[in-house]
Amino acid sequence: VKHNGYFSQRLLDQGYKIDLQKVADFFSGEFLECETGKKDLREVLPKWIKQWDWHGNIDNLLKFWFEGESETDSNVVENIKSLRLTGIKCYLVTNNEKYRTEYLWNFVGLKNFLDGLYSSCYVGYLKHQEEFWEEIYKNFSPIPKQSILLWDDDLKNIEAARQFGINAEFYTTFENYEKVMKQKYVNNRI
């Protein structure tokens, strides 16, 4: 899923006079509890949106937020579809709170071309934590860890997956993805 700029930057672009530090405080604090399912985003947002100069309601804010981060990469989608045609299972593994997770799965339609999803809000841990991988691996065992491949755009998530024993690669561009897949995985089917 592509991002059309960070949420805070898009607010600034729309003319909101927000304090970027207050937005950063939210995303580095209480939002992490939403991402791990410990708090509900709709319950914590009211006190924050006043500080962000948001004039609409929570539903409008979530719509603005989620729609700005909902465009799929057609190359990646088509590649996933072709992998699935060969029998390879493909899953979304994400750090997200429950409303955005459901938005991506249902409204954006990730459910239409993926085999399932593992979101931090349901797992209870973030992807850079070993417990995250322990929890989701329970669904794949007895498949060897080395038979699983993760692509992620955050190096700390890749390091955590590798430490757990899962193959993990850093996603930068689709072209780089294709190159690495051909060099390391396509002919050596994981």
Side-chain angles (χ1 to χ4, degrees):
V1 175
K2 298 178 186 179
H3 294 272
N4 296 325
Y6 285 109
F7 172 70
S8 54
Q9 184 59 51
R10 289 188 293 113
L11 283 172
L12 284 172
D13 292 346
Q14 293 288 320
Y16 288 93
K17 296 172 179 38
I18 62 169
D19 180 336
L20 291 177
Q21 186 56 53
K22 289 179 182 177
V23 176
D25 290 345
F26 168 71
F27 281 104
S28 65
E30 211 165 13
F31 182 69
L32 296 176
E33 294 179 88
C34 297
E35 280 191 312
T36 55
K38 294 172 182 63
K39 290 192 175 181
D40 188 294
L41 184 63
R42 288 182 176 275
E43 293 174 9
V44 301
L45 271 178
K47 67 183 172 193
W48 291 95
I49 62 175
K50 292 175 187 172
Q51 299 176 41
W52 298 346
D53 190 39
W54 182 260
H55 302 294
N57 62 30
I58 290 175
D59 289 334
N60 291 337
L61 177 74
L62 293 179
K63 184 176 191 280
F64 172 80
W65 179 355
F66 297 167
E67 284 181 354
E69 301 174 12
S70 64
E71 182 184 352
T72 57
D73 183 318
S74 59
N75 290 323
V76 173
V77 171
E78 290 309 311
N79 187 261
I80 290 169
K81 289 177 180 178
S82 68
L83 288 171
R84 290 182 71 214
L85 288 174
T86 68
I88 294 174
K89 301 284 186 186
C90 298
Y91 297 86
L92 172 66
V93 180
T94 182
N95 284 338
N96 263 304
E97 60 77 43
K98 68 181 178 181
Y99 299 110
R100 183 155 187 266
T101 297
E102 294 302 317
Y103 178 86
L104 292 171
W105 191 248
N106 295 307
F107 185 78
V108 174
L110 300 185
K111 67 181 180 181
N112 297 324
F113 57 87
L114 289 166
D115 292 293
L117 83 117
Y118 295 95
S119 180
S120 60
C121 66
Y122 302 130
V123 176
Y125 301 97
L126 297 171
K127 292 190 288 181
H128 70 272
Q129 298 174 297
E130 182 178 348
E131 295 90 347
F132 181 91
W133 301 104
E134 289 171 354
E135 286 300 312
I136 69 168
Y137 185 66
K138 291 174 185 177
N139 297 294
F140 294 99
S141 183
I143 296 171
K145 293 177 185 178
Q146 301 81 12
S147 296
I148 299 171
L149 172 61
L150 167 75
W151 280 91
D152 202 293
D153 62 357
D154 189 326
L155 289 171
K156 68 183 176 191
N157 299 333
I158 290 167
E159 182 59 31
R162 286 178 178 166
Q163 286 181 349
F164 186 69
I166 293 172
N167 292 299
E169 299 291 344
F170 184 52
Y171 187 89
T172 54
T173 64
F174 183 74
E175 292 74 22
N176 183 63
Y177 161 82
E178 283 188 307
K179 178 182 170 186
V180 172
M181 286 295 286
K182 286 178 185 170
Q183 289 175 348
K184 294 175 76 172
Y185 300 105
V186 172
N187 295 326
N188 303 324
R189 186 118 180 215
I190 49 176

